[in-house]
Amino acid sequence: MEKAFLVKYGEIGLKGKNRYFFEETLVKRIEEALRKIDGEFTVTRPQGRIFVEGSGFDDDEVIDALSKVFGIIWICPCIMTDDNGFDDLSAQIIEYLKEELGDEPFTFKVEARRARKDYPMNSMEINVELGSRILDAFPNAKVDVHHPKYLVEVEIRERINFHFLKHKGAGGMPVGTSGKAMLLLSGGIDSPVAGYMISRRGVTIDATYFHAPPYTSERAKQKVIDLARILTKYTGPIKLHIVNFTDIQMAIYEKCPHDELTIIMRRYMMTIAEHFADLDKDQALITGESLGQVASQTMQSLYVTDHAATLPVFRPLIGFDKQDIIDISEKIGTFDTSILPYEDCCTIFVAKHPVTKPRLSAIEKSETKLKDVIDGLLKTAYDTTETILVK
Ligand code: ATP
Ligand code: MG
């Protein structure tokens, strides 16, 4: 028996050329994910299905790798076999069920599909005959056509494949099918989750991180690189721009009202992130903001922040409670890194009582106090930015 994997993906809304592009991209993403684990693999795409075949692999490793590829709905370990007649096929299926289930009582239903019409039995006949052979072989098994615990799917093509186990995939769309966007990535809990969610919709991610040496440490920066690296398991390689934000923060601190520090700082973050977004040909910015979470995330603050950007700002966590965000960060593996207690550039210069209802005109007026220095400071920030490719 030859172990392989059948990959099921969402097809809703995919037609013609789009569908071809979706499938081709998904195959590429699967091949990249498999390159990171042991084994030789071939990925094929016969009509509306993707198969992963190979040798020298560990099943669990393959399932784990595939479970991080966006666009996959189900990962089904399956058996590939040549057509040596129906007796041989049923014997193999029974052997495989025994191997996986032992004496476990179970309900099942057989669903056969014939892609090759010269097979001597039609699908209905296969369902009935195979069902009765399984019942004979497993005294604890019962047929349940409505809610079977296991759906035993058999597909007759040039070769035959069958499966009954399945693991949930990550869903979404393959990365590379929905354009590119720039993630403002901090060391917190929220922004890695925001990046994950947008990437899950098929978007390629670049990232910008603002640090403030010597007020923020090398370890704080390393933490963000580590978070980016965890994200790459899902997103693929991330180009990360590390911006030295110290002088801009100092200038804001010296010249602007202290209750407006955070909002002004956030507007310059947008400006700088957008500069790199333009260079990287990104079509949107992404932040981890959630409505009302802190003073800089009130309706009014988000309005004022948005005016510093011309690109659309995606905030996938806008309606999430903190606990919802934590749940996702635990699931995707960023939580433990996010909670490491290193200082963040935003927390160093924060005011005790930041404005919660800033007015755009007032903020713009305060920013004119920076007019003599800001162009030079921005230029220096761009010129001294360190860009690394995180893989
Ligand atoms: P997070 O947990 O993602 O740090 P937060 O709740 O701490 O978010 P803020 O500090 O207000 O919220 O930041 C809001 C968003 O602004 C972040 O989700 C992130 O997208 C961006 N951001 C904040 N600080 C930085 C930074 N130092 N570098 C890059 N982006 C940042
Ligand atoms: Mg933060």
Side-chain angles (χ1 to χ4, degrees), residues 136-361:
D136 288 345
F138 295 87
N140 287 332
K142 276 203 195 87
V143 172
D144 181 342
V145 289
H146 299 297
H147 303 289
K149 177 152 188 209
Y150 297 118
L151 184 64
V152 181
E153 290 184 69
V154 183
E155 205 181 24
I156 318 262
R157 298 171 169 273
E158 264 338 290
R159 301 186 76 204
I160 298 176
N161 73 81
F162 58 84
H163 75 271
F164 72 100
L165 297 173
K166 56 181 188 178
H167 303 265
K168 217 167 167 34
M173 315 261 286
V175 172
T177 57
S178 297
K180 288 178 78 199
M182 175 62 75
L183 170 66
L184 282 83
L185 179 63
S186 72
I189 294 170
D190 306 332
S191 48
V193 172
Y196 168 90
M197 289 183 65
I198 295 299
S199 177
R200 186 168 179 270
R201 296 308 304 160
V203 176
T204 303
I205 300 288
D206 294 308
T208 301
Y209 165 59
F210 298 90
H211 68 155
Y215 303 98
T216 62
S217 64
E218 220 24 54
R219 288 191 309 180
K221 168 177 147 187
Q222 187 56 46
K223 172 182 169 181
V224 174
I225 297 172
D226 292 344
L227 284 171
R229 185 161 297 124
I230 298 169
L231 278 181
T232 62
K233 293 184 195 165
Y234 305 90
T235 61
I238 294 178
K239 193 197 273 187
L240 173 63
H241 304 280
I242 300 170
V243 180
N244 186 329
F245 204 45
T246 314
D247 291 345
I248 293 177
Q249 275 189 304
M250 297 294 271
I252 301 170
Y253 190 76
E254 279 160 21
K255 297 179 192 290
C256 302
H258 283 192
D259 60 346
E260 295 172 357
L261 289 181
T262 306
I263 189 80
I264 293 175
M265 190 184 77
R266 297 204 47 71
R267 282 166 54 85
Y268 283 110
M269 283 188 177
M270 291 296 185
T271 303
I272 295 172
E274 187 157 299
H275 168 83
F276 290 107
D278 286 341
L279 291 178
D280 292 348
K281 301 196 165 53
D282 297 317
Q283 295 143 316
L285 303 175
I286 307 166
T287 76
E289 289 158 315
S290 140
L291 193 58
Q293 199 187 75
V294 288
S296 62
Q297 298 176 27
T298 61
M299 194 79 97
Q300 292 85 348
S301 295
L302 295 176
Y303 173 86
V304 173
T305 305
D306 261 9
H307 274 261
T310 58
L311 287 174
V313 182
F314 293 166
R315 298 183 169 94
L317 308 181
I318 198 71
F320 280 45
D321 290 347
K322 194 73 186 185
Q323 190 58 48
D324 304 333
I325 302 169
I326 289 173
D327 291 347
I328 301 176
S329 86
E330 284 179 330
K331 192 187 85 182
I332 67 175
T334 51
F335 183 74
D336 290 344
T337 305
S338 287
I339 58 171
L340 294 173
Y342 305 136
E343 62 295 322
D344 183 69
C345 75
C346 315
T347 48
I348 289 164
F349 298 93
V350 291
K352 278 209 187 70
H353 301 290
V355 282
T356 53
K357 294 183 180 171
R359 277 188 17 253
L360 181 60
S361 57

Side-chain angles (χ1 to χ4, degrees), residues 2-7 51-53 76-80 96 153 161-165:
E2 195 181 310
K3 286 192 176 174
F5 298 86
L6 167 61
V7 171
F51 286 103
V52 174
E53 297 172 73
C76 310
C78 70
I79 302 290
M80 282 280 184
Y96 182 54
E153 290 184 69
N161 73 81
F162 58 84
H163 75 271
F164 72 100
L165 297 173

